[in-house]
Amino acid sequence: MKALVLSGGAGTRLRPITHTSAKQLVPVANKAVLFYGLESIAEAGITEVGVIVGDTAAEIQDAVGDGTRFGLDITYIPQERPLGLAHAVLIARDYLGDDDFVMYLGDNFIVGGITDLVDEFRDNRPDAQILLTRVQDPRSFGVAELDETGQVIGLEEKPAHPKSDLALVGVYLFTPAIHDAVRAVTPSWRGELEITHAIQHLIDSHADVRCTVIKGYWKDTGNVADMLEVNRTVLESLARRIDGDVDNASETVGRVVVEAGARIVNSRIVGPAVVGAGTVVEDSYVGPFTSIAENCRITDSELEFSIVLRDSSIDGVGRIESSLIGRHVQVTPAPSVPSAHRLVLGDHSKVQIHT
């Protein structure tokens, strides 16, 4: 059995972060979201992985390499444009051959991994198996309709009037039967080859399509709010570890990780929180559910329920919360006189100003 991991896509909902970085590499608890998926695949006993890459191919390849660090053998499959999940299967045909495979969306996060799901698929081997979870607003997802026996009878992609609250989770398992189905579908109104349409083709052809409704935690980390929520969830399982330097004037409370090479000076860190290698936190407060990556500097500030990417500095700005701060960012106070805001903002930025 192989895996097909989708790591293309523009990540428009995470702009401006994704103007300069692949969305799958944005860190959760100081580890790229993509890495959690690759680790889950390895834990399920799958070693051959094809990774679909697009405009950020060089960055993905630099971060993941040949897969050795994950116990995987990785092959990169270029996709010129993100033309849909079914298109990814289409272009991976030669790599996948006649093997069964799991398709995993690289920006999805599932607590507990996929081992049980893969084992169930191997035992029963339906033509396709999908994961479903109940969501509050299914209009943003692929949505499944089940009959009274729990059998999948219909799928819709981002419907205006959903027939259920069961959304497709970004993990799918297929036999080679899916290859005829992806060749049979035509582009949707979005101009994409939808995997929901391909699975519907299987259903209409009376293929064996099964579903598993998961009750565990799943998130599509495609926007800032979900990214912060996943970060919170991962940090809740953190084990306390102090490998860096914490001076006598500082306090660390609860599940706090201070990586080797980090320094905490005259500050208070309340977990769960992680401070990356080479980072200095001085005269500051870092509150729960905060991840600070490597080589950052936090001075005379308060930070809570936030993610700070590497090589950034926050100096003397009071309190920051519910924020995602990119790489090589400088956050400083504005001059007190004149009373005005000075902004340099990229496309698709969002700013909230207290007046």
Side-chain angles (χ1 to χ4, degrees):
M1 191 171 185
K2 292 177 180 175
L4 186 65
V5 177
L6 275 58
S7 295
T12 55
R13 291 179 295 159
L14 274 174
R15 288 176 177 168
I17 298 292
T18 49
H19 279 308
T20 55
S21 178
K23 64 177 179 178
Q24 298 85 4
L25 296 181
V26 176
V28 168
N30 285 5
K31 181 165 66 176
V33 171
L34 175 60
F35 292 0
Y36 291 97
L38 294 175
E39 289 170 353
S40 292
I41 289 167
E43 289 167 2
I46 299 170
T47 58
E48 295 182 75
V49 180
V51 178
I52 301 290
V53 290
D55 291 342
T56 59
E59 187 180 9
I60 296 288
Q61 291 180 41
D62 184 60
V64 176
D66 63 1
T68 302
R69 61 184 290 195
F70 304 100
L72 302 173
D73 179 9
I74 288 181
T75 299
Y76 293 97
I77 303 168
Q79 185 182 37
E80 291 185 4
R81 288 189 297 155
L83 295 176
L85 305 188
H87 181 259
V89 176
L90 196 64
I91 65 173
R93 180 68 177 92
D94 289 344
Y95 172 77
L96 294 169
D98 292 326
D99 293 315
D100 297 346
F101 67 98
V102 55
M103 183 168 73
Y104 197 116
L105 274 59
D107 60 353
N108 276 226
F109 184 89
I110 301 175
V111 170
I114 61 171
T115 300
D116 290 345
L117 176 72
V118 170
D119 289 344
E120 179 184 351
F121 179 81
R122 282 172 165 153
D123 289 342
N124 300 311
R125 204 167 177 266
D127 294 302
Q129 186 163 344
I130 58 176
L131 266 68
L132 304 174
T133 191
R134 299 191 183 278
V135 297
Q136 289 187 341
D137 185 3
R139 292 174 298 177
S140 299
F141 303 93
V143 177
E145 181 183 6
L146 310 184
D147 64 15
E148 63 276 1
T149 68
Q151 182 69 33
V152 184
I153 58 174
L155 297 174
E156 293 181 284
E157 186 64 34
K158 297 180 173 61
H161 305 286
K163 295 179 181 178
S164 80
D165 62 351
L166 290 169
L168 276 77
V169 173
V171 178
Y172 309 78
L173 295 109
F174 297 115
T175 67
I178 193 63
H179 295 303
D180 288 338
V182 298
R183 284 196 299 268
V185 300
T186 57
S188 67
W189 61 271
R190 301 194 302 163
E192 298 186 2
L193 295 177
E194 310 287 0
I195 198 66
T196 47
H197 292 179
I199 299 171
Q200 185 66 53
H201 180 83
L202 290 176
I203 294 170
D204 294 341
S205 302
H206 306 291
D208 185 4
V209 176
R210 303 186 188 183
C211 68
T212 301
V213 180
I214 64 171
K215 296 183 174 63
Y217 185 86
W218 164 79
K219 277 289 183 184
D220 170 0
T221 61
N223 61 51
V224 173
D226 286 341
M227 184 69 69
L228 292 172
E229 180 63 21
V230 171
N231 189 64
R232 180 192 66 79
T233 300
V234 175
L235 289 178
E236 284 182 335
S237 63
L238 204 65
R240 181 179 172 86
R241 178 167 51 85
I242 308 296
D243 294 332
D245 296 328
V246 179
D247 73 359
N248 292 332
S250 297
E251 181 183 20
T252 59
V253 180
R255 289 166 293 169
V256 173
V257 170
V258 179
E259 298 286 1
R263 292 194 298 122
I264 312 299
V265 181
N266 193 36
S267 296
R268 189 168 193 256
I269 316 292
V270 178
V274 57
V275 179
T279 287
V280 177
V281 179
E282 186 170 4
D283 299 326
S284 295
Y285 166 79
V286 175
F289 311 121
T290 300
S291 297
I292 305 173
E294 65 272 21
N295 300 320
C296 294
R297 189 171 186 93
I298 313 298
T299 307
D300 191 24
S301 300
E302 297 184 7
L303 190 62
E304 189 165 315
F305 190 56
S306 294
I307 299 173
V308 182
L309 275 58
R310 61 180 174 84
D311 301 304
S312 291
S313 65
I314 300 171
D315 185 3
V317 295
R319 185 172 180 83
I320 294 175
E321 60 183 29
S322 304
S323 298
L324 173 58
I325 297 171
R327 300 175 297 179
H328 301 280
V329 169
Q330 293 181 329
V331 183
T332 60
S336 58
V337 177
S339 181
H341 301 288
R342 300 176 58 193
L343 306 174
V344 179
L345 303 175
D347 295 346
H348 305 281
S349 294
K350 293 182 180 180
V351 176
Q352 292 180 323
I353 296 175
H354 180 72
T355 59

